[in-house]
Amino acid sequence: MKVGVLTGGGDCPGLNAVIRAIVRKGCFHYEDQFVGFLEGWRGLLEDKSMPLDLASVGGILPRGGTILRTSRTNPAKKADGLDKCAATLQKHKVEALIAIGGDDTLSVAQKLHAKGVKVVGVPKTIDNDLAGTDYTFGFDTAVNIATEAIDRVHTTAEAHNRVMVVEVMGRDAGWIAMYSGIAGGADVILIPEQPFDIEKVAETIRLRHARGRYFSIVVVAEGAKFSTDLDPRHDAPVLQSMVKDEFGHAHLGGIGNILAREVERLTGFETRAVVLGHIQRGGSPSAFDRMLATRYGLGAIDMVHRGEFGCMAALRGNKIVSVPLADAIAKNRTVDQEVIDVAYGILDKLSAEKEAVEK
Ligand code: F6P
């Protein structure tokens, strides 16, 4: 069978591991042939491709980025864009397409599927916010990078008696903030799902320092929002720019610096901000992500041969299963209560702490 492969949206550690697994299983077990479409959906719109064979996937397992490169191109926003994509697949005699991406990329895959294209999806994003699967690949690597950064920030915060604010990625969901914040022993964790009151953040830090601690660590997801009506930034994420990509997303970032300024103003403690940004997306995938990405790649090529189109390979429990693309893109998967409870369990509860200080 001739199978097309593309990677779309923001890059993510493990993309190459997925491509490698698809091609190896396809070549070794199914006698498939492959064509890689370059730069996400742009490759189908503009007919940009490269041959994908065993040689081209040699040595790519530990490599970050994607040998197919990527973009945030949205064919549904261009005149006849989806038809052009289908025509390119026909021209290359591609019988099935594997699209590796997050909700944006997979929403295009779903639209093409509705037009009769045989598509299988693979869930990718460091944000871990895709529904239908327990984990997306790339998330574990991002959490490891963020946790290491928090550990490093800890020692310098301690040395200088400072509050350090660490801004991590997470547009709509605070998975990276929660996991790295808990793993890194943060004192305050702020996520998009729960708009925060800056006075309460300041009070938490003040009380912690009143108890004798002389430094604090705050982890904030880039999409976190101030809750207080009094604040002009009420209930909207902080943006780097108003320019939106083809899927309608503005460029987020900057909450860390604003927060650091406010914390210093309200508490009087010297505060610094660190923005991790794309460091979380770059470099070699963790062993966990290499394994997960490999399993997703194998799952996707098996799904192609079982004819499970319009579906995505997903992790449920410890099994790779097939779920409808429609379910995966229906909503964002926000941080679940169980994880929030872990944070509540180990973080200081403001009122309890206040009582202790007053005694
Ligand atoms: O990959 C998802 C994500 O990491 C978001 O958390 C972030 O807002 C976005 O990508 C930034 O991506 P870029 O700078 O590549 O547009």
Side-chain angles (χ1 to χ4, degrees), residues 224-261:
K225 309 164 191 84
F226 290 89
S227 70
T228 34
D229 290 346
L230 292 173
D231 198 291
R233 296 152 300 211
H234 169 61
D235 225 8
V238 178
L239 304 181
Q240 283 280 316
S241 105
M242 297 296 283
V243 180
K244 292 192 171 163
D245 68 20
E246 292 184 10
F247 289 92
H249 305 304
H251 182 187
L252 264 58
I255 181 87
N257 280 301
I258 295 176
L259 198 57
R261 242 186 356 251

mmCIF file of all heavy atoms in Angstrom, residues 224-261:
data_model
loop_
_atom_site.group_PDB
_atom_site.id
_atom_site.type_symbol
_atom_site.label_atom_id
_atom_site.label_comp_id
_atom_site.label_asym_id
_atom_site.label_seq_id
_atom_site.Cartn_x
_atom_site.Cartn_y
_atom_site.Cartn_z
ATOM 1 N N ALA A 224 -2.505 31.077 31.828
ATOM 2 C CA ALA A 224 -3.177 31.379 33.106
ATOM 3 C C ALA A 224 -3.720 32.813 33.084
ATOM 4 O O ALA A 224 -3.160 33.691 32.436
ATOM 5 C CB ALA A 224 -2.208 31.191 34.263
ATOM 6 N N LYS A 225 -4.837 33.029 33.809
ATOM 7 C CA LYS A 225 -5.514 34.331 33.765
ATOM 8 C C LYS A 225 -5.751 34.879 35.167
ATOM 9 O O LYS A 225 -6.059 34.123 36.079
ATOM 10 C CB LYS A 225 -6.883 34.187 33.087
ATOM 11 C CG LYS A 225 -6.847 33.482 31.757
ATOM 12 C CD LYS A 225 -8.251 33.038 31.365
ATOM 13 C CE LYS A 225 -8.244 32.109 30.181
ATOM 14 N NZ LYS A 225 -8.007 30.684 30.518
ATOM 15 N N PHE A 226 -5.666 36.210 35.291
ATOM 16 C CA PHE A 226 -6.060 36.875 36.536
ATOM 17 C C PHE A 226 -7.574 36.767 36.683
ATOM 18 O O PHE A 226 -8.305 36.926 35.713
ATOM 19 C CB PHE A 226 -5.701 38.353 36.486
ATOM 20 C CG PHE A 226 -4.222 38.627 36.536
ATOM 21 C CD1 PHE A 226 -3.471 38.690 35.375
ATOM 22 C CD2 PHE A 226 -3.584 38.834 37.748
ATOM 23 C CE1 PHE A 226 -2.114 38.947 35.415
ATOM 24 C CE2 PHE A 226 -2.227 39.088 37.798
ATOM 25 C CZ PHE A 226 -1.490 39.148 36.628
ATOM 26 N N SER A 227 -8.052 36.548 37.908
ATOM 27 C CA SER A 227 -9.504 36.380 38.080
ATOM 28 C C SER A 227 -10.197 37.662 38.529
ATOM 29 O O SER A 227 -11.374 37.856 38.275
ATOM 30 C CB SER A 227 -9.777 35.297 39.124
ATOM 31 O OG SER A 227 -9.401 35.761 40.398
ATOM 32 N N THR A 228 -9.466 38.523 39.224
ATOM 33 C CA THR A 228 -10.120 39.650 39.892
ATOM 34 C C THR A 228 -10.687 40.674 38.908
ATOM 35 O O THR A 228 -9.998 41.105 37.993
ATOM 36 C CB THR A 228 -9.128 40.361 40.822
ATOM 37 O OG1 THR A 228 -7.849 40.287 40.204
ATOM 38 C CG2 THR A 228 -9.065 39.696 42.168
ATOM 39 N N ASP A 229 -11.930 41.068 39.136
ATOM 40 C CA ASP A 229 -12.591 42.052 38.269
ATOM 41 C C ASP A 229 -11.823 43.368 38.240
ATOM 42 O O ASP A 229 -11.809 44.066 37.245
ATOM 43 C CB ASP A 229 -14.002 42.361 38.782
ATOM 44 C CG ASP A 229 -14.910 41.160 38.585
ATOM 45 O OD1 ASP A 229 -14.499 40.258 37.844
ATOM 46 O OD2 ASP A 229 -15.994 41.137 39.175
ATOM 47 N N LEU A 230 -11.206 43.669 39.384
ATOM 48 C CA LEU A 230 -10.490 44.936 39.493
ATOM 49 C C LEU A 230 -9.325 45.021 38.513
ATOM 50 O O LEU A 230 -8.900 46.096 38.112
ATOM 51 C CB LEU A 230 -9.919 45.076 40.916
ATOM 52 C CG LEU A 230 -10.943 45.248 42.019
ATOM 53 C CD1 LEU A 230 -10.269 45.190 43.379
ATOM 54 C CD2 LEU A 230 -11.676 46.578 41.845
ATOM 55 N N ASP A 231 -8.821 43.845 38.146
ATOM 56 C CA ASP A 231 -7.638 43.816 37.299
ATOM 57 C C ASP A 231 -8.026 44.013 35.827
ATOM 58 O O ASP A 231 -8.921 43.338 35.328
ATOM 59 C CB ASP A 231 -6.934 42.468 37.473
ATOM 60 C CG ASP A 231 -5.518 42.551 36.986
ATOM 61 O OD1 ASP A 231 -5.323 42.679 35.765
ATOM 62 O OD2 ASP A 231 -4.625 42.515 37.830
ATOM 63 N N PRO A 232 -7.340 44.928 35.127
ATOM 64 C CA PRO A 232 -7.684 45.164 33.722
ATOM 65 C C PRO A 232 -7.445 43.934 32.854
ATOM 66 O O PRO A 232 -8.014 43.784 31.778
ATOM 67 C CB PRO A 232 -6.754 46.303 33.298
ATOM 68 C CG PRO A 232 -5.665 46.342 34.318
ATOM 69 C CD PRO A 232 -6.246 45.784 35.593
ATOM 70 N N ARG A 233 -6.597 43.005 33.360
ATOM 71 C CA ARG A 233 -6.287 41.813 32.555
ATOM 72 C C ARG A 233 -7.253 40.680 32.883
ATOM 73 O O ARG A 233 -7.005 39.520 32.545
ATOM 74 C CB ARG A 233 -4.861 41.371 32.857
ATOM 75 C CG ARG A 233 -3.853 42.390 32.455
ATOM 76 C CD ARG A 233 -2.611 42.299 33.301
ATOM 77 N NE ARG A 233 -2.920 42.516 34.700
ATOM 78 C CZ ARG A 233 -2.064 43.062 35.560
ATOM 79 N NH1 ARG A 233 -0.892 43.454 35.166
ATOM 80 N NH2 ARG A 233 -2.409 43.224 36.814
ATOM 81 N N HIS A 234 -8.328 41.029 33.560
ATOM 82 C CA HIS A 234 -9.313 40.065 34.045
ATOM 83 C C HIS A 234 -9.689 38.995 33.012
ATOM 84 O O HIS A 234 -10.113 39.307 31.907
ATOM 85 C CB HIS A 234 -10.560 40.850 34.462
ATOM 86 C CG HIS A 234 -11.745 39.993 34.737
ATOM 87 N ND1 HIS A 234 -11.745 39.039 35.723
ATOM 88 C CD2 HIS A 234 -12.950 39.943 34.149
ATOM 89 C CE1 HIS A 234 -12.921 38.446 35.728
ATOM 90 N NE2 HIS A 234 -13.669 38.976 34.781
ATOM 91 N N ASP A 235 -9.499 37.748 33.371
ATOM 92 C CA ASP A 235 -10.032 36.606 32.638
ATOM 93 C C ASP A 235 -9.598 36.497 31.177
ATOM 94 O O ASP A 235 -10.344 35.957 30.358
ATOM 95 C CB ASP A 235 -11.561 36.625 32.721
ATOM 96 C CG ASP A 235 -12.070 35.223 33.022
ATOM 97 O OD1 ASP A 235 -11.229 34.338 33.301
ATOM 98 O OD2 ASP A 235 -13.294 35.022 32.965
ATOM 99 N N ALA A 236 -8.445 37.029 30.833
ATOM 100 C CA ALA A 236 -7.943 36.861 29.458
ATOM 101 C C ALA A 236 -6.453 36.545 29.551
ATOM 102 O O ALA A 236 -5.752 37.098 30.388
ATOM 103 C CB ALA A 236 -8.162 38.132 28.664
ATOM 104 N N PRO A 237 -5.965 35.650 28.691
ATOM 105 C CA PRO A 237 -4.539 35.327 28.768
ATOM 106 C C PRO A 237 -3.676 36.497 28.301
ATOM 107 O O PRO A 237 -4.136 37.350 27.545
ATOM 108 C CB PRO A 237 -4.391 34.138 27.821
ATOM 109 C CG PRO A 237 -5.553 34.210 26.913
ATOM 110 C CD PRO A 237 -6.657 34.901 27.643
ATOM 111 N N VAL A 238 -2.440 36.530 28.773
ATOM 112 C CA VAL A 238 -1.505 37.585 28.353
ATOM 113 C C VAL A 238 -0.938 37.211 26.984
ATOM 114 O O VAL A 238 -0.513 36.071 26.775
ATOM 115 C CB VAL A 238 -0.367 37.729 29.392
ATOM 116 C CG1 VAL A 238 0.631 38.782 28.946
ATOM 117 C CG2 VAL A 238 -0.952 38.075 30.755
ATOM 118 N N LEU A 239 -0.971 38.168 26.068
ATOM 119 C CA LEU A 239 -0.539 37.896 24.691
ATOM 120 C C LEU A 239 0.772 38.585 24.371
ATOM 121 O O LEU A 239 1.034 39.693 24.829
ATOM 122 C CB LEU A 239 -1.606 38.391 23.695
ATOM 123 C CG LEU A 239 -3.019 37.849 23.859
ATOM 124 C CD1 LEU A 239 -3.928 38.423 22.778
ATOM 125 C CD2 LEU A 239 -3.026 36.331 23.781
ATOM 126 N N GLN A 240 1.574 37.930 23.544
ATOM 127 C CA GLN A 240 2.784 38.540 22.998
ATOM 128 C C GLN A 240 2.412 39.435 21.837
ATOM 129 O O GLN A 240 3.022 40.455 21.593
ATOM 130 C CB GLN A 240 3.720 37.455 22.455
ATOM 131 C CG GLN A 240 4.489 36.695 23.498
ATOM 132 C CD GLN A 240 5.689 37.469 23.969
ATOM 133 O OE1 GLN A 240 6.405 38.032 23.156
ATOM 134 N NE2 GLN A 240 5.902 37.519 25.260
ATOM 135 N N SER A 241 1.411 38.971 21.069
ATOM 136 C CA SER A 241 0.959 39.768 19.924
ATOM 137 C C SER A 241 -0.477 39.358 19.600
ATOM 138 O O SER A 241 -0.908 38.253 19.919
ATOM 139 C CB SER A 241 1.887 39.544 18.732
ATOM 140 O OG SER A 241 1.281 38.730 17.768
ATOM 141 N N MET A 242 -1.197 40.276 18.976
ATOM 142 C CA MET A 242 -2.607 40.024 18.640
ATOM 143 C C MET A 242 -2.733 39.237 17.328
ATOM 144 O O MET A 242 -3.813 38.785 16.971
ATOM 145 C CB MET A 242 -3.359 41.350 18.471
ATOM 146 C CG MET A 242 -3.416 42.195 19.730
ATOM 147 S SD MET A 242 -4.350 41.372 21.027
ATOM 148 C CE MET A 242 -6.010 41.672 20.436
ATOM 149 N N VAL A 243 -1.614 39.099 16.615
ATOM 150 C CA VAL A 243 -1.658 38.401 15.320
ATOM 151 C C VAL A 243 -2.020 36.941 15.560
ATOM 152 O O VAL A 243 -1.440 36.282 16.429
ATOM 153 C CB VAL A 243 -0.278 38.489 14.608
ATOM 154 C CG1 VAL A 243 -0.316 37.767 13.271
ATOM 155 C CG2 VAL A 243 0.124 39.944 14.440
ATOM 156 N N LYS A 244 -2.994 36.466 14.778
ATOM 157 C CA LYS A 244 -3.444 35.087 14.982
ATOM 158 C C LYS A 244 -2.924 34.178 13.867
ATOM 159 O O LYS A 244 -2.744 34.638 12.738
ATOM 160 C CB LYS A 244 -4.969 35.048 14.999
ATOM 161 C CG LYS A 244 -5.529 35.734 16.223
ATOM 162 C CD LYS A 244 -6.991 35.461 16.404
ATOM 163 C CE LYS A 244 -7.427 36.004 17.759
ATOM 164 N NZ LYS A 244 -8.848 36.148 17.892
ATOM 165 N N ASP A 245 -2.693 32.911 14.205
ATOM 166 C CA ASP A 245 -2.290 31.965 13.167
ATOM 167 C C ASP A 245 -3.528 31.505 12.396
ATOM 168 O O ASP A 245 -4.645 31.957 12.669
ATOM 169 C CB ASP A 245 -1.485 30.796 13.759
ATOM 170 C CG ASP A 245 -2.326 29.879 14.653
ATOM 171 O OD1 ASP A 245 -3.565 29.892 14.537
ATOM 172 O OD2 ASP A 245 -1.739 29.163 15.470
ATOM 173 N N GLU A 246 -3.328 30.603 11.429
ATOM 174 C CA GLU A 246 -4.441 30.215 10.548
ATOM 175 C C GLU A 246 -5.515 29.404 11.263
ATOM 176 O O GLU A 246 -6.575 29.156 10.712
ATOM 177 C CB GLU A 246 -3.894 29.453 9.339
ATOM 178 C CG GLU A 246 -3.079 30.356 8.426
ATOM 179 C CD GLU A 246 -2.591 29.656 7.159
ATOM 180 O OE1 GLU A 246 -3.031 28.524 6.873
ATOM 181 O OE2 GLU A 246 -1.761 30.269 6.462
ATOM 182 N N PHE A 247 -5.227 28.978 12.475
ATOM 183 C CA PHE A 247 -6.246 28.271 13.254
ATOM 184 C C PHE A 247 -6.892 29.195 14.290
ATOM 185 O O PHE A 247 -7.650 28.749 15.136
ATOM 186 C CB PHE A 247 -5.640 27.030 13.923
ATOM 187 C CG PHE A 247 -5.319 25.942 12.940
ATOM 188 C CD1 PHE A 247 -4.065 25.855 12.360
ATOM 189 C CD2 PHE A 247 -6.284 25.025 12.548
ATOM 190 C CE1 PHE A 247 -3.768 24.866 11.435
ATOM 191 C CE2 PHE A 247 -6.005 24.031 11.630
ATOM 192 C CZ PHE A 247 -4.741 23.951 11.066
ATOM 193 N N GLY A 248 -6.528 30.486 14.223
ATOM 194 C CA GLY A 248 -7.178 31.473 15.090
ATOM 195 C C GLY A 248 -6.532 31.637 16.456
ATOM 196 O O GLY A 248 -7.124 32.234 17.358
ATOM 197 N N HIS A 249 -5.280 31.112 16.634
ATOM 198 C CA HIS A 249 -4.622 31.246 17.936
ATOM 199 C C HIS A 249 -3.711 32.466 17.957
ATOM 200 O O HIS A 249 -2.874 32.623 17.061
ATOM 201 C CB HIS A 249 -3.757 30.024 18.254
ATOM 202 C CG HIS A 249 -4.509 28.734 18.194
ATOM 203 N ND1 HIS A 249 -5.635 28.509 18.934
ATOM 204 C CD2 HIS A 249 -4.295 27.600 17.489
ATOM 205 C CE1 HIS A 249 -6.090 27.298 18.688
ATOM 206 N NE2 HIS A 249 -5.304 26.725 17.805
ATOM 207 N N ALA A 250 -3.854 33.286 19.003
ATOM 208 C CA ALA A 250 -2.927 34.409 19.194
ATOM 209 C C ALA A 250 -1.648 33.872 19.830
ATOM 210 O O ALA A 250 -1.611 32.745 20.332
ATOM 211 C CB ALA A 250 -3.570 35.452 20.084
ATOM 212 N N HIS A 251 -0.602 34.691 19.803
ATOM 213 C CA HIS A 251 0.699 34.292 20.347
ATOM 214 C C HIS A 251 0.734 34.622 21.846
ATOM 215 O O HIS A 251 0.805 35.793 22.230
ATOM 216 C CB HIS A 251 1.774 35.057 19.557
ATOM 217 C CG HIS A 251 3.163 34.719 19.954
ATOM 218 N ND1 HIS A 251 4.247 35.403 19.460
ATOM 219 C CD2 HIS A 251 3.669 33.785 20.784
ATOM 220 C CE1 HIS A 251 5.350 34.902 19.976
ATOM 221 N NE2 HIS A 251 5.026 33.921 20.776
ATOM 222 N N LEU A 252 0.659 33.598 22.686
ATOM 223 C CA LEU A 252 0.628 33.796 24.142
ATOM 224 C C LEU A 252 2.032 34.015 24.719
ATOM 225 O O LEU A 252 3.021 33.650 24.098
ATOM 226 C CB LEU A 252 0.021 32.562 24.810
ATOM 227 C CG LEU A 252 -1.464 32.601 25.152
ATOM 228 C CD1 LEU A 252 -2.295 32.854 23.913
ATOM 229 C CD2 LEU A 252 -1.896 31.301 25.794
ATOM 230 N N GLY A 253 2.075 34.539 25.925
ATOM 231 C CA GLY A 253 3.356 34.674 26.628
ATOM 232 C C GLY A 253 3.449 36.009 27.334
ATOM 233 O O GLY A 253 2.871 37.005 26.889
ATOM 234 N N GLY A 254 4.139 36.038 28.469
ATOM 235 C CA GLY A 254 4.346 37.305 29.190
ATOM 236 C C GLY A 254 3.751 37.312 30.576
ATOM 237 O O GLY A 254 4.052 38.191 31.387
ATOM 238 N N ILE A 255 2.912 36.307 30.883
ATOM 239 C CA ILE A 255 2.278 36.278 32.210
ATOM 240 C C ILE A 255 3.333 36.191 33.317
ATOM 241 O O ILE A 255 3.172 36.797 34.383
ATOM 242 C CB ILE A 255 1.284 35.083 32.311
ATOM 243 C CG1 ILE A 255 0.576 35.047 33.675
ATOM 244 C CG2 ILE A 255 1.952 33.738 32.107
ATOM 245 C CD1 ILE A 255 -0.642 35.847 33.757
ATOM 246 N N GLY A 256 4.433 35.492 33.059
ATOM 247 C CA GLY A 256 5.469 35.298 34.079
ATOM 248 C C GLY A 256 6.054 36.621 34.540
ATOM 249 O O GLY A 256 6.200 36.867 35.747
ATOM 250 N N ASN A 257 6.369 37.496 33.589
ATOM 251 C CA ASN A 257 6.967 38.792 33.949
ATOM 252 C C ASN A 257 5.977 39.682 34.679
ATOM 253 O O ASN A 257 6.331 40.368 35.646
ATOM 254 C CB ASN A 257 7.493 39.488 32.688
ATOM 255 C CG ASN A 257 8.835 38.913 32.289
ATOM 256 O OD1 ASN A 257 9.792 38.956 33.058
ATOM 257 N ND2 ASN A 257 8.895 38.310 31.107
ATOM 258 N N ILE A 258 4.717 39.683 34.230
ATOM 259 C CA ILE A 258 3.690 40.509 34.891
ATOM 260 C C ILE A 258 3.499 40.027 36.332
ATOM 261 O O ILE A 258 3.463 40.810 37.286
ATOM 262 C CB ILE A 258 2.357 40.462 34.113
ATOM 263 C CG1 ILE A 258 2.555 41.103 32.731
ATOM 264 C CG2 ILE A 258 1.233 41.145 34.885
ATOM 265 C CD1 ILE A 258 1.342 41.026 31.840
ATOM 266 N N LEU A 259 3.417 38.707 36.454
ATOM 267 C CA LEU A 259 3.221 38.102 37.771
ATOM 268 C C LEU A 259 4.380 38.444 38.710
ATOM 269 O O LEU A 259 4.175 38.794 39.883
ATOM 270 C CB LEU A 259 3.127 36.590 37.571
ATOM 271 C CG LEU A 259 2.523 35.743 38.660
ATOM 272 C CD1 LEU A 259 1.116 36.211 38.987
ATOM 273 C CD2 LEU A 259 2.478 34.295 38.204
ATOM 274 N N ALA A 260 5.598 38.350 38.178
ATOM 275 C CA ALA A 260 6.774 38.639 39.009
ATOM 276 C C ALA A 260 6.724 40.078 39.517
ATOM 277 O O ALA A 260 6.997 40.349 40.692
ATOM 278 C CB ALA A 260 8.054 38.394 38.201
ATOM 279 N N ARG A 261 6.360 40.998 38.632
ATOM 280 C CA ARG A 261 6.260 42.406 39.028
ATOM 281 C C ARG A 261 5.228 42.595 40.130
ATOM 282 O O ARG A 261 5.461 43.272 41.130
ATOM 283 C CB ARG A 261 5.845 43.227 37.792
ATOM 284 C CG ARG A 261 6.888 44.239 37.404
ATOM 285 C CD ARG A 261 6.529 45.185 36.315
ATOM 286 N NE ARG A 261 5.272 45.060 35.634
ATOM 287 C CZ ARG A 261 5.147 44.635 34.369
ATOM 288 N NH1 ARG A 261 6.203 44.251 33.686
ATOM 289 N NH2 ARG A 261 3.968 44.598 33.803
#
